[in-house]
Amino acid sequence: MKVKIWGCRGSLPVAMTSAAVREKIKRAVQAAQGRTFDGEADLDRFLDQDLPWPVANTYGGSTACIEVDTGDADYILCDLGSGVREFGVRMMVEHGPTKPQTYHVFLSHLHWDHIMGFPFFPPAFIPGNTIRIYSCHPDPEASFRKQQSEPNFPVDFSVLGADIQFVPMTPGEPVSAGGATVTAKLQNHAGDSYGYRFESGGRSFVYATDSEHKQKNAEETQAVVAFFKDADLVAFDAQYSLAEAVSLKEDWGHSSNVIGVELCLEARVKHLLMIHHEPVLGDEALYRILEETLRYEELMRPEGAAPLRISSAFDGMVLSLPEESDG
Amino acid sequence: MQLTVERRERAVVVTPSGRLDQTTVPDFQARLLEVLDETSGSAVIVDMAQVEFISSVGLRALNIGFKKSKAGGGSLSVVALRPIVREVFSISRFDKVLAVHEDLNAALAAVDAT
Ligand SMILES: [Zn+2]
Ligand SMILES: [Zn+2]
């Protein structure tokens, strides 16, 4: 199983500013002073090994969209945030307009950052394609039609040429799609959200975004631990710091890195992937949070327990389960 | 987890010891809220010198205490964090939400200044 990140950002798409690009260039040039480079591979080595990650890279700014690749011919996506545009463009390059494809989309919920990319998803315009949108919410179609109608958008939903099916799902009742068995779980979020657990070829991936963990009731916490149990990878909403999540931003529906570590350690998850990054945070700030999260895991890990691997999602990241990241 | 309470002239000093985690926090939180009820409106200082570790539930309990003391017209501050506890405060950003002082004297001076 492979998991590809097309949109790691929460709430609102963002783009890197000119000032941020210049800052990275300055630091890279400074670090390169007095050095010569023997070809592109040497340059890449310099970027990967000698520059701090947030100088040589950026997290990116597209909102929620993650692809789950089971090796099946059908595609699986989690959410349709602005990141699905890039995914759709890739599909057009790979398959062109004449080879029909089937897409299985699992929707966490209908907040705008999770569906805003759909009007810009080229495969939706092409007859022959099938798009099955799985949702536990009562009427997801209404949100898609509303988003894609005047005066919100010039091209009406009814113009879309693909066969678009809305598939109702019930938490706890698994469905088979795209080579995976998928189970949903209700999460704590304004208007409700749902997490999804994907099982395929003995590997498991949990998509758990837009979920607040209030730790007020042990039963609720244990249900989350059971949902995460022994997963190879958990993509976890870590938009806020713990302090924000319990004070100023209490009931805003998001969680923190600290809670992610605690839940994943308790559930013996192998790899925690932080997602739904706060739009105001730049690359340096997000990277610092990753380092702090690694440290918290070290402090929290029970004696003798295997370390929990932790990453912070970036647009374009590819994680192969269970092998090492190639992104 | 042990907890002692000492009433001083201008503040109440609460001193927990051991780990503040899932197993000990329910007790700690109940005792802290009890103290806040009994001393409503006063300055409460939580002396953390004996606390070896704190996880999210411990931080939440302090935050609940902080909100309660504020609502009652009092204050709650935290002092004498051990290095690891200080790290957890920083990682969780609780050092930005709670009043953290170097030691008891600094917290008492802050109470005097208000
Ligand atoms: Zn969101
Ligand atoms: Zn949301």
Side-chain angles (χ1 to χ4, degrees):
Chain A
M1 191 191 282
K2 271 188 188 165
V3 173
K4 301 183 190 175
I5 312 302
W6 295 93
C8 67
R9 204 52 80 155
S11 309
L12 192 73
V14 289
M16 202 168 28
T17 61
S18 185
V21 174
R22 291 176 68 94
E23 190 55 39
K24 285 178 198 282
I25 292 173
K26 277 185 205 164
R27 289 189 53 190
V29 170
Q30 271 168 0
Q33 258 177 18
R35 283 195 52 155
T36 53
F37 296 98
D38 186 16
E40 200 171 327
D42 197 24
L43 262 172
D44 278 325
R45 216 169 8 252
F46 170 70
L47 297 185
D48 292 339
Q49 291 171 11
D50 296 348
L51 289 183
W53 193 90
V55 173
N57 301 274
T58 185
Y59 285 93
S62 292
T63 66
C65 183
I66 292 182
E67 180 190 354
V68 182
D69 180 0
T70 64
D72 194 85
D74 289 4
Y75 289 93
I76 298 177
L77 290 174
C78 301
D79 283 338
L80 297 163
S82 69
V84 82
R85 185 193 61 83
E86 186 81 27
F87 170 75
V89 170
R90 177 70 63 86
M91 289 299 100
M92 297 311 291
V93 170
E94 260 177 47
H95 303 298
T98 53
K99 269 186 262 161
Q101 305 296 324
T102 298
Y103 301 92
H104 303 272
V105 180
F106 292 85
L107 270 193
S108 64
H109 63 317
L110 296 155
H111 281 163
W112 198 25
D113 51 327
H114 297 258
I115 63 168
M116 58 166 44
F118 195 62
F120 302 91
F121 182 53
F125 289 83
I126 297 171
N129 282 335
T130 303
I131 302 173
R132 287 170 66 78
I133 300 176
Y134 301 73
S135 166
C136 300
H137 283 84
D139 188 10
E141 187 169 349
S143 297
F144 281 81
R145 289 192 176 272
K146 192 172 172 188
Q147 145 168 284
Q148 223 171 323
S149 65
E150 292 284 7
N152 298 321
F153 200 77
V155 184
D156 196 81
F157 187 87
S158 60
V159 171
L160 298 175
D163 176 13
I164 301 169
Q165 307 165 7
F166 288 89
V167 187
M169 241 181 112
T170 307
E173 292 180 15
V175 301
S176 291
T181 304
V182 192
T183 313
K185 183 190 177 305
L186 175 65
Q187 302 178 134
N188 184 18
H189 194 68
D192 292 342
S193 75
Y194 295 86
Y196 294 95
R197 183 175 174 122
F198 298 84
E199 309 268 356
S200 176
R203 300 286 158 219
S204 47
F205 164 60
V206 178
Y207 179 62
T209 196
D210 293 64
S211 177
E212 186 166 349
H213 300 274
K214 294 174 89 76
Q215 297 170 294
K216 275 186 179 148
N217 137 7
E219 226 171 278
E220 214 176 275
T221 304
Q222 284 316 306
V224 176
V225 169
F227 192 59
F228 288 4
K229 194 78 194 154
D230 296 321
D232 291 288
L233 180 68
V234 172
F236 186 86
D237 168 2
Q239 180 164 5
Y240 301 147
S241 66
L242 178 65
E244 285 175 311
V246 305
S247 59
L248 192 65
K249 296 176 180 177
E250 190 178 11
D251 296 322
W252 286 23
H254 300 286
S255 197
S256 64
N257 56 341
V258 163
I259 298 297
V261 166
E262 291 183 9
L263 289 172
C264 286
L265 278 175
E266 196 174 346
R268 294 178 182 276
V269 168
K270 293 187 185 68
H271 189 167
L272 161 63
L273 178 68
M274 296 191 286
I275 56 165
H276 211 271
H277 302 319
E278 169 66 38
V280 304
L281 296 177
D283 293 324
E284 293 285 347
L286 287 172
Y287 192 73
R288 181 182 150 208
I289 290 169
L290 172 62
E291 290 184 317
E292 291 173 331
T293 312
L294 289 163
R295 174 64 179 148
Y296 189 67
E297 189 275 338
E298 206 181 338
L299 294 174
M300 270 305 288
R301 189 193 316 146
E303 246 183 68
L308 166 67
R309 193 175 155 204
I310 301 171
S311 309
S312 190
F314 58 88
D315 294 356
M317 183 188 219
V318 181
L319 294 164
S320 299
L321 311 187
E323 299 96 21
E324 291 301 294
S325 160
D326 45 6
Chain B
M1 203 265 321
Q2 304 272 313
L3 187 133
T4 62
V5 180
E6 185 196 347
R7 286 164 196 252
R8 298 213 177 185
E9 204 180 317
R10 298 213 45 198
V12 181
V13 181
V14 177
T15 310
S17 62
R19 289 175 68 89
L20 289 182
D21 60 17
Q22 258 177 341
T23 49
T24 59
V25 162
D27 190 29
F28 167 70
Q29 184 171 321
R31 301 278 303 279
L32 179 64
L33 295 182
E34 230 173 73
V35 171
L36 289 168
D37 273 333
E38 289 161 6
T39 64
S40 183
S42 47
V44 172
I45 300 169
V46 182
D47 184 343
M48 302 281 284
Q50 310 296 321
V51 172
E52 294 151 20
F53 188 73
I54 188 164
S55 69
S56 65
V57 281
L59 292 165
R60 268 180 204 267
L62 287 174
N63 191 55
I64 290 166
F66 174 70
K67 282 184 186 165
K68 189 179 169 77
S69 67
K70 221 160 104 180
S75 70
L76 184 144
S77 58
V78 181
V79 306
L81 308 186
R82 290 188 182 190
I84 283 181
V85 172
R86 184 180 295 276
E87 255 191 284
V88 176
F89 266 68
S90 162
I91 290 168
S92 63
R93 307 288 186 266
F94 263 85
D95 54 354
K96 295 203 167 82
V97 171
L98 297 178
V100 181
H101 297 286
E102 207 48 49
D103 53 31
L104 205 48
N105 286 337
L108 289 167
V111 170
D112 284 338
T114 52

